[in-house]
């Protein structure tokens, strides 16, 4: 054998080993739920919450702290007194009826595109944490490199469908320029669906313009290419910054996740039904306003529900009442015929420990059983959503694969063939070698250790946190940047550079 052929052979073996140990991700499609949803309320219960929400909007009203929105509502015929807007139920229900019940979510790579609404669910990234728990487990302020890393991890993940726009808040980038860096990174480091910035009206405009560079103006006007997360100031206030961004996105036919931020027992009543009536009123008011801007624009009824510790007043995740409230919100969203968004996989724990695991599971089950369509914060959160852990992020995304498998439900099976296997194996045998077992293995999370104690000890006695950090490093080491046409990348880079200069000089 020649030296060249020997080198080739070694390279071939190395490539095969690399392919076995670092296989490319097999991306999960939109989750089409075959299990649930759970409806806690009968028709009378749904009508009760609906009437309560309508009464809030008709009698108490909601503040729109924005002169343009107030003028729009007054022109449309709502009762506007100062900043307080009272909306009649007939007017509101007519506006809400124009919101699509389902929409397609286009990705830069069409193979990564998703469906949102009806029985479809998508998993979206964490959003906005000022701290990270690094690959060494140490808590520190989040930086732009961390945002880039979480975009890369999202691209490498089989289950993280929406990388988002703000996986962490990069503390090393000036606030007026953050949206430029983040939207640019989301578009270039991933080829999955993204979200847009709501930092300001200009940030929203820049976000839309950057997608027009990549997708084309006509395509963006007729297709969803990004979503934006807008928070209502519960109770009963929509502020100017959020409403300015809402007008930008609705005008561009891009959906907003119109989300009251609920601290049950503090910003809303402790009552699950009373709290849901309030948040439904708030979200519907924002959705209705979007339809004044552009009727038929896709929107999402959004919520972010957590409890409050009666001991300290701190946010509390994983408790039963927010789970019940999510089930109620899902049922009300189906009543109104609109998609809905919520949060999950979060915890007040300060490390990826047993509390984090409990809280994470306890927040996800009611969300999926309630039929949530757009699930934000699906991986990584610690510390009441103030920090994102690399280790927990990776462990959570593996759990998302489990949830995806479970809620995909049962497939039709050929029991005749299985009965033949049972007859052939007979008493005392095993099924490990049958064709059916080889072709239909049980789902296995590769980060979970089911080996013997002795083998686990011999391999280093690794904790779940260590395993998660090692997997995060492996994924980053094997990240492959998705291609982008040179003309698109050049135009995007030029736009960002020009805008940065404008903001520096303003």
């Amino acid at each position: 054998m020649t030296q060249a052929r020997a080198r080739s052979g070694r390279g071939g073996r190395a490539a095969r080993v690399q392919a076995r140990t670092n296989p490319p991700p097999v991306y999960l499609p939109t989750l089409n739920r075959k299990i649930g949803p759970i409806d806690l309320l009968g028709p009378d219960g749904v009508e009760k919450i609906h009437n309560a929400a309508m009464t809030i909007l008709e009698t108490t009203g909601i503040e729109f702290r924005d002169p343009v929105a107030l003028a729009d509502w007054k022109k449309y015929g709502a009762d506007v007194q100062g900043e307080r807007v009272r909306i009649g139920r007939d007017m509101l229900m007519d506006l809400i009826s124009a919101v699509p019940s389902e929409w397609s979510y286009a990705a830069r790579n069409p193979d990564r595109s998703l469906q949102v609404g009806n029985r479809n669910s998508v998993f979206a990234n964490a959003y906005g944490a000022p701290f990270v728990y690094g690959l060494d487990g140490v808590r520190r302020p989040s930086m732009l490199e961390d945002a880039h890393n979480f975009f890369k991890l999202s691209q490498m993940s089989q289950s993280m469908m929406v990388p988002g726009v703000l996986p962490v808040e990069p503390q090393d980038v000036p606030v007026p320029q953050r949206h430029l860096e983040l939207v640019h990174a989301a578009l270039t480091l991933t080829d999955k669906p993204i979200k847009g910035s709501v930092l300001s009206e200009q940030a929203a405009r820049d976000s839309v313009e950057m997608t027009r560079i990549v997708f084309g103006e006509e395509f963006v006007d007729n297709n969803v290419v990004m979503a934006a997360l807008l928070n209502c100031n519960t109770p009963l206030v929509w502020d100017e910054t959020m409403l300015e961004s809402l007008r930008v996105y609705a005008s561009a036919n891009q959906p907003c996740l119109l989300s009251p931020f609920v601290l049950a027992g503090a910003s809303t009543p402790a009552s699950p039904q009373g709290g849901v009536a309030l948040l439904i009123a708030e979200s519907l008011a924002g959705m209705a306003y979007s339809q004044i801007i552009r009727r038929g624009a896709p929107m999402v009824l959004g919520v972010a529900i957590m409890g409050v510790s009666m001991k300290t007043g701190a946010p509390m995740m994983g408790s039963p009442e927010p789970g019940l409230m999510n089930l109620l919100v899902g049922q009300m969203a189906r009543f109104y015929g609109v998609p809905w968004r919520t949060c999950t996989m979060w915890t007040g724990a300060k490390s990826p420990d047993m509390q984090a695991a409990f809280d994470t599971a306890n927040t996800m089950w009611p969300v999926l059983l309630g039929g949530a369509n757009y699930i934000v914060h699906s991986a990584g959160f610690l510390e009441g959503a103030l920090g994102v852990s690399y280790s927990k992020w990776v462990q959570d995304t593996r759990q998302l694969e489990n949830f995806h498998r479970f809620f995909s439900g049962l497939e039709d099976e050929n029991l005749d063939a299985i009965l033949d296997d049972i007859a052939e194996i007979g008493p005392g045998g095993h099924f490990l070698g049958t064709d059916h077992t080889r072709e239909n293995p049980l789902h296995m999370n590769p980060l979970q250790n089911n080996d013997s104690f002795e083998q686990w000890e011999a391999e280093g006695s690794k904790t779940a946190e260590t395993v998660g950090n090692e997997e995060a490093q492996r994924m980053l080491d094997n990240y492959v940047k998705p291609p982008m046409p040179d003309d698109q990348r050049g135009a995007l880079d030029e736009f960002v550079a020009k805008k940065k200069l404008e903001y520096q000089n303003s």
Side-chain angles (χ1 to χ4, degrees):
M1 180 183 293
T2 66
Q3 188 176 4
R5 288 186 63 191
R7 284 198 300 268
S8 174
R10 286 196 297 272
R13 286 194 296 274
R16 289 192 293 274
V17 170
Q18 172 75 5
R20 287 196 301 271
T21 57
N22 295 292
V26 179
Y27 296 108
L28 295 175
T30 302
L31 171 58
N32 185 260
R33 289 172 280 101
K34 300 295 195 302
I35 296 175
I38 290 177
D39 287 339
L40 291 185
L41 302 170
D44 291 345
V46 170
E47 194 65 26
K48 178 181 176 182
I49 292 180
H50 169 65
N51 283 330
M54 296 301 103
T55 299
I56 291 169
L57 291 176
E58 288 175 327
T59 61
T60 303
I62 183 167
E63 290 193 358
F64 281 75
R65 296 180 180 175
D66 170 71
V68 176
L70 292 171
D72 288 339
W73 274 117
K74 192 168 186 177
K75 182 178 179 181
Y76 202 77
D79 177 10
V80 179
Q81 302 294 329
E83 293 182 326
R84 189 77 62 94
V85 178
R86 293 176 175 84
I87 311 166
R89 67 184 64 198
D90 290 341
M91 176 186 294
L92 183 129
M93 292 300 288
D94 174 68
L95 288 167
I96 294 301
S97 70
V99 176
S101 61
E102 183 175 337
W103 38 270
S104 299
Y105 199 173
R108 190 160 65 79
N109 181 340
D111 291 340
R112 314 280 184 264
S113 296
L114 305 166
Q115 286 295 120
V116 176
N118 293 319
R119 297 195 69 87
N120 300 306
S121 295
V122 302
F123 302 133
N125 211 348
Y127 189 98
F131 299 101
V132 296
Y133 292 71
L135 291 168
D136 56 2
V138 176
R139 179 183 184 269
R140 57 175 173 74
S142 52
M143 300 295 174
L144 183 60
E145 182 182 4
D146 297 304
H148 287 181
N149 282 344
F150 284 112
F151 284 131
K152 292 175 181 179
L153 289 171
S154 296
Q155 180 66 18
M156 293 294 289
S157 169
Q158 298 185 141
S159 60
M160 184 53 66
M161 301 170 182
V162 183
V165 69
L166 193 63
V168 293
E169 280 278 7
Q171 306 297 306
D172 54 340
V173 180
V175 171
Q177 298 179 22
R178 282 183 189 171
H179 69 283
L180 296 171
E181 294 282 6
L182 291 164
V183 176
H184 181 278
L187 285 168
T188 57
L189 298 178
T190 83
D191 59 6
K192 297 181 178 182
I194 69 166
K195 297 216 292 262
S197 175
V198 295
L199 177 67
S200 65
E201 180 178 14
Q202 189 57 54
R205 292 190 185 282
D206 289 346
S207 299
V208 172
E209 189 58 35
M210 292 167 78
T211 62
R212 286 173 174 154
I213 290 170
V214 172
F215 289 91
E217 187 166 346
E218 183 178 354
F219 187 89
V220 171
D221 193 53
N222 292 288
N223 298 273
V224 172
V225 299
M226 62 166 40
L229 173 55
L230 304 180
N231 284 124
C232 175
N233 293 334
T234 302
L236 297 171
V237 175
W238 280 104
D239 68 33
E240 186 174 35
T241 300
M242 296 291 99
L243 293 169
E244 287 174 341
S245 293
L246 175 58
R247 283 192 290 273
V248 171
Y249 286 109
S251 297
N253 200 40
Q254 303 304 304
C256 295
L257 319 176
L258 295 153
S259 306
F261 189 81
V262 174
L263 294 169
S267 64
T268 70
S271 155
Q273 294 182 61
V276 167
L278 176 60
L279 67 87
I280 288 288
E282 293 170 331
S283 187
L284 289 181
M287 295 178 76
Y289 180 55
S290 75
Q291 301 307 295
I292 294 176
I293 304 305
R294 179 167 174 166
R295 193 172 179 92
M299 291 289 146
V300 178
L301 189 157
V303 294
I305 305 174
M306 63 181 74
V308 172
S309 169
M310 296 295 109
K311 183 172 68 173
T312 66
M316 185 171 61
M317 288 83 169
S319 53
E321 289 81 7
L324 291 169
M325 292 175 75
N326 271 306
L327 292 177
L328 295 179
V329 172
Q331 191 166 359
M332 296 308 298
R334 290 186 290 279
F335 171 75
Y336 295 114
V338 296
W340 72 287
R341 165 262 180 178
T342 191
C343 307
T344 188
M345 303 290 270
W346 52 6
T347 177
K350 313 308 181 288
S351 67
D353 57 14
M354 185 176 288
Q355 179 188 338
F358 281 152
D359 289 348
T360 295
N362 289 341
T363 54
M364 179 56 102
W365 280 108
V367 160
L368 281 172
L369 289 171
N373 303 115
Y374 197 113
I375 305 172
V376 183
H377 310 324
S378 291
F381 262 161
L382 290 174
E383 198 184 338
L386 291 177
V388 177
S389 158
Y390 279 83
S391 176
K392 184 174 184 292
W393 194 98
V394 169
Q395 295 280 12
D396 285 349
T397 57
R398 288 298 189 174
Q399 290 302 316
L400 293 180
E401 296 172 28
N402 290 351
F403 281 112
H404 191 286
R405 171 63 191 91
F406 181 89
F407 280 90
S408 294
L410 297 175
E411 298 178 355
D412 186 37
E413 293 186 283
N414 181 0
L415 287 181
D416 290 338
I418 295 172
L419 288 173
D420 290 342
D421 285 345
I422 293 172
E424 182 178 347
I425 297 299
H430 66 77
F431 294 83
L432 294 174
T434 65
D435 290 342
H436 184 271
T437 299
R438 288 195 302 271
E439 294 167 4
N440 298 275
L442 299 178
H443 180 81
M444 183 173 66
N445 180 346
L447 302 188
Q448 290 180 326
N449 191 303
N450 297 297
D451 298 330
S452 68
F453 176 85
E454 290 76 16
Q455 185 172 347
W456 170 76
E457 190 175 42
E459 292 176 355
S461 306
K462 295 177 182 178
T463 65
E465 182 174 13
T466 298
V467 170
N469 280 327
E470 289 180 350
E471 176 66 4
Q473 186 65 68
R474 184 198 69 79
M475 293 169 71
L476 291 171
D477 289 343
N478 288 277
Y479 166 77
V480 177
K481 192 173 186 177
M484 174 181 277
D486 290 342
D487 58 337
Q488 290 180 10
R489 178 59 188 263
L492 198 60
D493 291 349
E494 183 180 349
F495 177 87
V496 170
K498 177 183 176 183
K499 287 292 181 179
K500 280 185 179 179
L501 190 60
E502 287 179 12
Y503 296 147
Q504 287 170 0
N505 295 331
S506 62

